[in-house]
Amino acid sequence: MNTSSATVTVHLMRHGEVHNPDRIVYGRLPNYHLSETGQKMVRLSAEEFKRRAEAGANIVHLVCSPLTRTRESAAPIEELLGLVAQPDERVIEAGNYFEGLHVNKQELLG
């Protein structure tokens, strides 16, 4: 009988801010890239993961959806932790009825 227990921590991180000047609900649409701010956001997250790894966290696996913005979000983590992101369709964003539509705050507020 094995009485030892292991603790596994799973970190979930959403992609950084997306460059979307036309305010499109992009959902699963391809080719939406991170904005400059989004790139800074994911770099800070990657630096935090590196800090945790240097403090003893055993970060061993990185998964992202195959969408452009998530691949770009994983890149700094790959770089700083020496991991290779594994794209996986199972973590892609849920479908959305409004995908591809233009969002206008004034229209929504009526």
Side-chain angles (χ1 to χ4, degrees):
M1 180 173 169
N2 183 355
T3 58
S4 67
S5 64
T7 299
V8 175
T9 301
V10 177
H11 299 278
L12 299 175
M13 182 180 102
R14 185 158 167 81
H15 59 78
E17 178 187 83
V18 173
H19 178 70
N20 187 7
D22 295 327
R23 300 186 50 83
I24 302 296
V25 179
Y26 48 79
R28 295 178 174 201
L29 296 174
N31 299 321
Y32 276 85
H33 296 271
L34 296 181
S35 66
E36 186 176 318
T37 298
Q39 292 172 13
K40 290 176 185 175
M41 293 166 73
V42 298
R43 185 69 185 191
L44 287 170
S45 294
E47 289 170 359
E48 175 61 18
F49 285 126
K50 181 179 180 186
R51 185 195 67 73
R52 290 177 185 211
E54 289 171 344
N58 189 19
I59 301 173
V60 298
H61 194 64
L62 178 60
V63 176
C64 65
S65 87
L67 295 171
T68 302
R69 61 189 173 268
T70 63
R71 298 286 302 145
E72 291 174 353
S73 295
I77 299 169
E78 290 177 304
E79 174 194 338
L80 294 180
L81 273 67
L83 297 172
V84 176
Q86 305 299 311
D88 190 327
E89 291 277 340
R90 294 175 298 177
V91 296
I92 199 165
E93 188 161 334
N96 186 324
Y97 174 80
F98 299 104
E99 184 175 276
L101 298 178
H102 182 268
V103 177
N104 181 327
K105 189 187 286 186
Q106 294 304 320
E107 289 176 10
L108 293 175
L109 297 175

